[in-house]
Amino acid sequence: MASPGHSDFGEVAPERKASERGTAVAIADLEWREMEGDDCEFPYGDGTNEAQDGDFPTVERSRLQDMLSLLGLETYQVHRLGLQDALQISSDSMRSRAPQTPKDLPWSFLRKLQALNTEARSTSMVLDVALDARPVEKESQLGEDIVYWDTADDISADIYSFSELPTPDTPVNPLDLLCALLLSSDSFLQQEIVLKMSLCQFALPLVLPDSENHGHTFLLWAMRGVVRTWWAQPPRGAGGLREDSVVLPRAPTFAFVRMEVSSNSKSQLLNAVLSPGHRQRHCFWHRDLSVGSSPREIADGLVEVSWSLPSGREDLDLFPEPVAFLNLRGDIGSHWLQFRLLTEVSSAVFILTDNISKKEYKLLSSMKGSATKCYFILSPYRGKRNANLRFLNRLIPVLKVDHSHVLVKVSSTDSARFVRRVRSIVAHVARSPCRRVSVEDMAHAARKLGLKVDEDCEECQRAKGRMERITRDIRDADAFRRDVLRLQGEPWRKAAQVERELRQAQRAADPAEKQRAELRHRLVDLRTQQNGHSPAGGLQDFIAGLSSPSVRERQFFLRWMEWGLAWVAQPRPRLPLEPAASLKPQQGEPPRPEPLGVEHFLREMGQFYEAESCLIEAGKLSAGQRRFAHFPGLAVELLVRGLPLELTDGSTLSTPLRWVTGLLKELHARLERRSRLVVLSALGVPGTGKSTLLNTMFGLRFATRRARSPRGAFMQLVTVAESFSQDLGCDHILVIDSGGLIVGAPATASGRFELEVSLATLIMGLSNVTVVSLAETRDIPAAILHAFLRLEKAGHMPSYQFVYQNLHDASAPGPKQKERRPLADAPGDGSRASAQPEKQGDGLRALAGLAFCDPEKQHVWHVPGLWLGVPPMASVSLGYSEAIFELKRCLLENIRNGLSDPSRSSQQLIELVRRL
C-alpha cells in the first residue's frame, strides 16, 4: 500500500495546482526517504567545464594512451586495424581459451563478436604472468560536500572516476575495451563491429569520445550497414514488415543522462524499460554484470543507442512503433557537448540525479526554450531536501515542468511499478505530437555543434557522389538491365546455352564435326554481337569507381553501391506478417525476381571479358585489340578486400568459364608465394541457414536477407595468418556459398534438375570440404545427392559435414546443447527414391552406402535455432554461436590433419574448373 502523497511507482503524485507556485508547494509536500545504494556512477571532473570539451587535462590524454598500450593497440593509431586483419584465421581460431594478458582482450572480443557470441562483452582474463606494481593512485577531484555515504556501504573503491588504470590483475571495463578498439579500427572494421553488436542486441556506439585528439566522432557510417526488420502499422490499411537501415527511419527518441551523482543506474533502468516481463534484456552494459564493475577510464562521454522495434504481436511489443533510446556515459557537466546534442534530437530527456545544487541549476537553466521535455528521476540524500526543493521550484518556469515530471525512486520503491511508470511516460510522449528524428538527422545536428561525423571524409563523399550519379536515374530495375547492362539477360542466356550444347557435343561418343562447327559458329556470332557494344554510362562510372587509385575510396564506393541499389533503386518491401516458416522458400518453389545488385555490374564486366576472350580464341581479334583485359584484376582486388564475387550466374545457371579462369589467374598473381588454397563450400536450398552459418563462422558477407539475396553462387577469400599457414597447410581458404542455385527441383523437372546437378557437381568438385545445410527433414535435396554420386564415380569426394538447423525454434526459452553424432542410419525415403535415376548398374552404391557407412569420418551436426526470442528484438542464441564455433574448429582440424584433399594452387584450381 502506497503511503499518502506518493504514487505506486515512487513518483510524486499530489494534486496539480493552477499556478507555478502551487506546483512548487506540491513538490515541497513530498516525503523524502532514504536513498537506495545500487549502481552509482560518478563523473570524472567537477563539471564546471560546461562547453569546453576540447580543454582536456594532460592526465586525461595520457589515460587514453595508457589504455591503448595496455591493450596492445598503440601500433594501430597510424595504420588502423582493418577488417582483413580481424578476420584472418590463426591458431586461436581453433580454441576458445580465455585471454591470458590484457593484450589478448581485443582479439578475444573480436573473435566472439564475429561468432555472434552474446557473452562477448564478458571477456575476462586468466592470469599466467607476474603482475607489475600498481600505478600511484590518483587524487580525487570530487568536492567533500557532494556525497554522503553510510559507513555500512562497502563502495569506497568505486567512488571516484579518477581511479587507477587497470593493470594485468584488474579487469578492463568492456566499454573502455570497445572505445579503444573502435579508435584503433578503420571505417570498415568499425562498421563490422557495430553490425555484429546489433545482431547480439547490444546497445550501439553513436558518439565515440576521443579525449586524446580533442574531439568526438558521430558514427553515422559505422551504423549505416545495420539493417533491421520490424512491423510497420500505417494509420490506415493493413500493416506489414518493413526492412530498412537503422539510420533512415524517423522515430521518437528518449535520452537518459546522469547529473553529478545518481544512486539509480541509467543502464539498468533502460534495460528494464526495454525488457518484456518474461525476459530481461541487457542491451546496455552495467556494473552488476560480470566485469562490469571496473571503473571506466576512457569511455565517459560515449553515447549509445538502442531501439525497441515492434514485431506485430501485442503480447510482446512494448510500443506500437520503433522508439530509440540514448544513453550518455558519464556526467552531463563533464560532457556538455554530448548533452546539448541529446537535448536537440530527443523527444524527452530523463535526468537521473540525487541532488540539485547551484552548479546543476546553471547547467539546466541553459536549456530554457528547448522543445525537449525534461523528466527528473531523483533519489535524494538525507539533509538535501530543502536545497532540492529550492532549485526545483526555480527550474519549473525555466523548463516548463510540473510535479508529473519529477519521479522519486528510493530503496522502498517498487522497481517493477517504477519501470512501468517510466514506460508509460515514454508511450505517452511518443503518442503525442513530438520530435521524431533519424540517425541521419542526429548527424546533421552533431555537425552543427562541431562534432566530427565519420561519413564526412573526402574519400567517402566522393564515393557517395559517384554512387548517386549511377543510381539517380534508376526507376525500373528491368529497364536498367535492358538499357545499361545489355550483355547479360537474353544475349548471355543464348551464349550459355550454345556453350552447353558444344560441351555435350564434344563429350559425345561419336560427335559430328559438322554439328560442332555449327555450334562454334553460332557462339562466335553471339559473342561478336556482344563485343560490338561498349560499356554504357552507368557501367563506365562503376568501372571508374573500381579503378580509383585510393583503396579506401574503392571500398567506400562498393559499400555505397550496395546500399544505393538496395535503398534507392528498389522499393522497400511491405510484406504481410507471416510465421517465419512461411517466409522461407519451399523445395521446388519457382525462383523469385532477382533484385538489382553490385553483382550485375560485375557480371556485365565479365560478359565483356568473355566475349572478347572468345573472339581472340576464334582468331577474330588479336591480343593487341583487347579493351577489357584489366577487368579481372579490378574484380580480384574486391575479392582480396573481402567482397564476394559471383562464381555462377544465378539467372542463367551458367558459369562464365573464361571470366572465372581470368579471376583465378589474377588471384594467383596477386597472392604470389601465398597461393595455396583450400576450398570450402556450403550447399543447401535457400532458407536452410547456410549463408548465415558461413558468415558466423568466418565473418563473411554473403547475402542472407531473402528479399534481396542474389540467386548465384558466390566465393569469398579468407586469409590464414602466416604464423599458422604452415600448420594448417594452406595460405587462404576460398569459401563458396551456393546461394539460391539449388532450389530443390524434383528429378522429374529434367531441365532445371540437370542444371542443378551440374552446378552442385561443379561446386563440390572444386571443394576440399563441403558443408551440406539441411532443415526439418533428413532428406538430402536430389541435386546434391546426385552430385555426390557423380563425384564418387569420378573418384573425387570432398570431406563433408551435414548440418541440421532448427529453423522453427525462435521462441524457445533457452538454447539447446549442440548434439554431434555419426550418421549411422540410412537416409529417408525421399533420398532413396531420388537416388534411383542416377544408378547405372549394381556397382554404383546409393548414398546410404556412401555417406553413412563411415561414422569415423562423416558427421552430422544438430545446431540450435539462431534466435533466442522473437525477432526483431531477439538476440542470437548462445547455443547457436557455440555450435557453429565447434563446427568451425572441426573443419579446420580436418584440414590440418589432412582428412580433406591437400591444398591446391590457383593454377591447379583453374585446371580443375576446366575439367569439371
Side-chain angles (χ1 to χ4, degrees):
M1 179 73 67
S3 60
H6 293 272
S7 74
D8 288 341
F9 308 116
E11 179 207 4
V12 182
E15 294 183 358
R16 289 175 176 259
K17 304 296 182 179
S19 64
E20 292 175 355
R21 177 59 185 164
T23 300
V25 172
I27 295 177
D29 289 336
L30 294 175
E31 177 185 328
W32 301 100
R33 292 175 286 183
E34 288 187 17
M35 71 169 187
E36 180 181 357
D38 63 334
D39 192 25
C40 305
E41 295 178 271
F42 302 91
Y44 277 137
D46 59 6
T48 58
N49 189 11
E50 293 187 4
Q52 305 296 322
D53 272 21
D55 299 334
F56 291 97
T58 302
V59 65
E60 189 72 24
R61 291 198 297 271
S62 65
R63 180 176 296 175
L64 174 60
Q65 288 303 317
D66 287 347
M67 178 62 70
L68 294 173
S69 177
L70 178 72
L71 297 172
L73 297 174
E74 71 275 13
T75 57
Y76 297 107
Q77 298 312 293
V78 177
H79 301 289
R80 297 295 177 90
L81 191 64
L83 186 57
Q84 298 307 105
D85 300 318
L87 298 183
Q88 68 177 356
I89 296 173
S90 66
S91 57
D92 289 332
S93 302
M94 299 179 63
R95 52 178 180 251
S96 57
R97 68 173 187 175
Q100 306 295 305
T101 69
K103 289 181 170 60
D104 296 333
L105 289 172
W107 303 102
S108 179
F109 175 77
L110 285 173
R111 281 193 299 272
K112 286 186 175 181
L113 202 58
Q114 171 192 317
L116 302 180
N117 189 318
T118 52
E119 294 185 348
R121 297 179 299 186
S122 303
T123 302
S124 58
M125 292 178 294
V126 174
L127 301 177
D128 62 354
V129 295
L131 304 179
D132 297 329
R134 290 173 175 264
V136 178
E137 185 172 341
K138 298 179 178 67
E139 183 178 354
S140 166
Q141 296 187 13
L142 286 176
E144 293 181 358
D145 59 335
I146 293 180
V147 183
Y148 296 89
W149 299 108
D150 291 336
T151 56
D153 292 329
D154 184 18
I155 54 175
S156 58
D158 293 324
I159 290 180
Y160 302 112
S161 294
F162 278 106
S163 58
E164 57 195 64
L165 187 72
T167 56
D169 65 329
T170 60
V172 176
N173 189 287
L175 295 176
D176 286 339
L177 175 61
L178 174 63
C179 289
L181 193 53
L182 290 172
L183 289 169
S184 305
S185 303
D186 68 12
S187 300
F188 305 97
L189 180 54
Q190 286 180 348
Q191 200 172 80
E192 184 71 7
I193 290 172
V194 171
L195 174 61
K196 299 296 186 182
M197 291 179 66
S198 172
L199 292 171
C200 293
Q201 289 293 349
F202 298 163
L204 306 182
L206 185 67
V207 176
L208 179 65
D210 182 1
S211 57
E212 182 74 12
N213 297 304
H214 310 294
H216 311 294
T217 303
F218 189 95
L219 300 179
L220 176 61
W221 168 264
M223 297 190 63
R224 190 173 287 278
V226 177
V227 176
R228 302 292 295 273
T229 304
W230 66 92
W231 179 258
Q233 181 65 55
R236 297 181 182 86
L241 292 177
R242 176 177 177 179
E243 185 178 77
D244 226 334
S245 167
V246 295
V247 306
L248 298 178
R250 288 187 167 92
T253 302
F254 297 86
F256 285 69
V257 301
R258 170 171 59 81
M259 186 169 65
E260 280 292 336
V261 177
S262 173
S263 302
N264 296 307
S265 167
K266 301 189 314 296
S267 302
Q268 284 183 312
L269 176 59
L270 277 164
N271 289 341
V273 170
L274 286 166
S275 298
H278 61 279
R279 189 168 67 88
Q280 179 71 18
R281 295 192 178 112
H282 296 291
C283 302
F284 294 93
W285 190 258
H286 58 84
R287 64 183 295 118
D288 284 355
L289 298 174
S290 58
V291 306
S293 59
S294 309
R296 294 193 298 269
E297 299 294 338
I298 64 172
D300 273 13
L302 173 70
V303 178
E304 301 166 288
V305 61
S306 188
W307 286 268
S308 173
L309 301 174
S311 65
R313 288 180 51 177
E314 293 184 2
D315 59 324
L316 296 177
D317 295 341
L318 300 173
F319 308 103
E321 64 175 320
V323 177
F325 293 87
L326 305 177
N327 183 16
L328 171 62
R329 300 287 181 166
D331 168 47
I332 62 174
S334 300
H335 307 285
W336 187 245
L337 188 61
Q338 288 94 317
F339 181 58
R340 284 185 59 194
L341 173 65
L342 298 189
T343 60
E344 294 196 13
V345 302
S346 300
S347 310
V349 175
F350 288 82
I351 302 172
L352 282 76
T353 189
D354 286 350
N355 294 284
I356 303 174
S357 64
K358 183 176 182 180
K359 180 177 60 178
E360 286 77 51
Y361 169 76
K362 288 182 178 179
L363 290 175
L364 295 175
S365 296
S366 64
M367 294 178 58
K368 184 176 182 179
S370 172
T372 303
K373 297 179 174 64
C374 285
Y375 292 86
F376 292 90
I377 298 178
L378 303 179
S379 183
Y381 303 139
R382 287 175 304 207
K384 293 287 184 176
R385 175 178 180 273
N386 293 333
N388 278 314
L389 293 175
R390 183 171 63 253
F391 288 115
L392 277 173
N393 289 336
R394 294 169 64 181
L395 284 172
I396 286 171
V398 175
L399 301 181
K400 299 180 180 179
V401 299
D402 57 28
H403 69 276
S404 67
H405 290 237
V406 180
L407 294 84
V408 178
K409 186 179 186 300
V410 291
S411 56
S412 59
T413 303
D414 185 312
S415 296
R417 289 184 174 183
F418 186 81
V419 168
R420 289 197 296 269
R421 175 57 181 153
V422 173
R423 199 180 288 152
S424 69
I425 293 174
V426 170
H428 173 74
V429 174
R431 285 194 304 268
S432 61
C434 67
R435 178 186 288 140
R436 281 171 162 78
V437 296
S438 66
V439 175
E440 286 188 333
D441 296 331
M442 297 181 196
H444 183 65
R447 291 186 186 98
K448 288 185 175 181
L449 292 173
L451 276 76
K452 180 172 67 176
V453 178
D454 59 351
E455 210 168 84
D456 291 349
C457 68
E458 290 185 11
E459 293 160 316
C460 182
Q461 290 304 305
R462 283 198 300 268
K464 180 181 180 182
R466 192 182 298 276
M467 176 274 294
E468 289 173 341
R469 288 196 297 273
I470 295 173
T471 60
R472 64 189 174 193
D473 296 327
I474 301 178
R475 295 292 180 269
D476 180 85
D478 291 335
F480 184 82
R481 290 192 188 98
R482 187 171 55 252
D483 299 336
V484 177
L485 308 178
R486 295 169 290 192
L487 269 62
Q488 48 194 288
E490 196 59 31
W492 166 222
R493 189 172 289 105
K494 290 179 179 179
Q497 180 60 34
V498 172
E499 289 193 334
R500 272 195 291 266
E501 293 175 6
L502 183 57
R503 285 195 295 271
Q504 291 170 357
Q506 291 169 342
R507 290 198 302 265
D510 186 19
E513 181 58 33
K514 181 179 180 181
Q515 180 188 8
R516 288 187 299 182
E518 180 182 343
L519 289 171
R520 282 194 291 267
H521 180 72
R522 286 173 55 195
L523 179 61
V524 169
D525 283 347
L526 289 169
R527 292 304 191 185
T528 301
Q529 294 175 23
Q530 287 183 309
N531 195 58
H533 294 284
S534 294
L539 183 61
Q540 287 180 354
D541 281 336
F542 181 82
I543 295 168
L546 298 188
S547 305
S548 169
S550 167
V551 174
R552 275 173 52 84
E553 186 171 335
R554 291 198 297 268
Q555 291 178 285
F556 277 122
F557 172 66
L558 264 296
R559 293 291 173 92
W560 277 119
M561 281 297 297
E562 291 175 5
W563 299 329
L565 294 173
W567 310 116
V568 177
Q570 300 295 326
R572 294 173 189 138
R574 299 288 193 276
L575 304 174
L577 187 64
E578 300 177 74
S582 64
L583 293 177
K584 293 183 172 61
Q586 306 299 316
Q587 291 197 4
E589 176 183 324
R592 65 191 182 279
E594 190 176 22
L596 185 65
V598 170
E599 68 274 6
H600 292 90
F601 289 81
L602 292 168
R603 190 184 296 171
E604 188 78 358
M605 292 171 60
Q607 284 304 298
F608 275 107
Y609 182 86
E610 279 272 324
E612 187 175 76
S613 299
C614 179
L615 296 181
I616 289 176
E617 291 173 7
K620 302 296 183 180
L621 285 178
S622 65
Q625 294 177 288
R626 299 205 71 152
R627 296 180 293 165
F628 311 118
H630 63 295
F631 280 6
L634 296 178
V636 163
E637 173 67 18
L638 308 182
L639 183 66
V640 172
R641 294 288 172 182
L643 185 81
L645 288 187
E646 190 174 58
L647 174 66
T648 300
D649 179 355
S651 63
T652 63
L653 299 181
S654 301
T655 302
L657 182 60
R658 299 172 188 85
W659 173 245
V660 172
T661 300
L663 293 177
L664 293 176
K665 285 181 178 179
E666 286 290 339
L667 182 62
H668 180 76
R670 177 66 186 266
L671 299 181
E672 296 178 336
R673 63 182 180 83
R674 302 200 68 223
S675 61
R676 294 177 304 161
L677 296 172
V678 161
V679 181
L680 185 151
S681 63
L683 287 88
V685 298
T688 54
K690 61 188 179 307
S691 302
T692 300
L693 181 148
L694 293 175
N695 292 347
T696 306
M697 199 180 298
F698 296 110
L700 303 179
R701 299 186 57 229
F702 293 121
T704 56
R705 295 188 301 279
R706 184 189 171 218
R708 303 206 174 105
S709 296
R711 291 201 296 266
F714 286 79
M715 55 184 176
Q716 194 167 344
L717 197 66
V718 181
T719 302
V720 178
E722 288 197 52
S723 59
F724 188 51
S725 60
Q726 194 63 35
D727 188 17
L728 191 62
C730 64
D731 302 306
H732 295 83
I733 297 178
L734 189 66
V735 182
I736 300 176
D737 179 9
S738 66
L741 290 180
I742 314 299
V743 299
T748 52
S750 57
R752 171 80 194 196
F753 175 75
E754 181 57 36
L755 285 174
E756 289 191 11
V757 173
S758 299
L759 293 170
T761 304
L762 170 66
I763 294 172
M764 293 170 60
L766 292 175
S767 303
N768 303 80
V769 181
T770 293
V771 175
V772 180
S773 184
L774 305 167
E776 282 87 39
T777 173
R778 299 184 63 81
D779 292 336
I780 300 170
I784 296 176
L785 170 60
H786 284 241
F788 267 117
L789 296 171
R790 287 185 179 182
L791 289 171
E792 193 239 2
K793 182 181 178 182
H796 176 81
M797 180 61 65
S799 170
Y800 52 93
Q801 306 284 333
F802 290 90
V803 178
Y804 289 91
Q805 298 199 52
N806 183 354
L807 301 179
H808 295 291
D809 197 22
S811 58
K816 296 180 181 178
Q817 294 298 314
K818 174 193 70 68
E819 176 190 0
R820 176 186 174 193
R821 66 173 186 267
L823 271 173
D825 51 344
D829 293 339
S831 291
R832 282 202 194 96
S834 61
Q836 301 306 316
E838 188 67 31
K839 290 189 176 182
Q840 298 177 7
D842 295 334
L844 186 60
R845 296 170 297 168
L847 189 64
L850 172 68
F852 303 91
C853 66
D854 193 349
E856 296 301 319
K857 291 185 179 179
Q858 316 304 339
H859 295 93
V860 59
W861 297 72
H862 292 265
V863 176
L866 173 63
W867 299 115
L868 178 62
V870 178
M873 296 303 294
S875 60
V876 174
S877 159
L878 182 60
Y880 177 86
S881 175
E882 291 176 343
I884 298 304
F885 175 81
E886 283 300 311
L887 175 60
K888 175 183 179 179
R889 186 196 57 76
C890 175
L891 295 175
L892 294 178
E893 196 71 50
N894 286 351
I895 293 171
R896 184 169 68 174
N897 294 338
L899 297 182
S900 64
D901 289 343
S903 61
R904 311 180 182 101
S905 69
S906 305
Q907 292 287 9
Q908 291 173 319
L909 203 58
I910 291 170
E911 292 304 316
L912 189 56
V913 169
R914 287 174 174 161
R915 279 174 37 213
L916 287 167

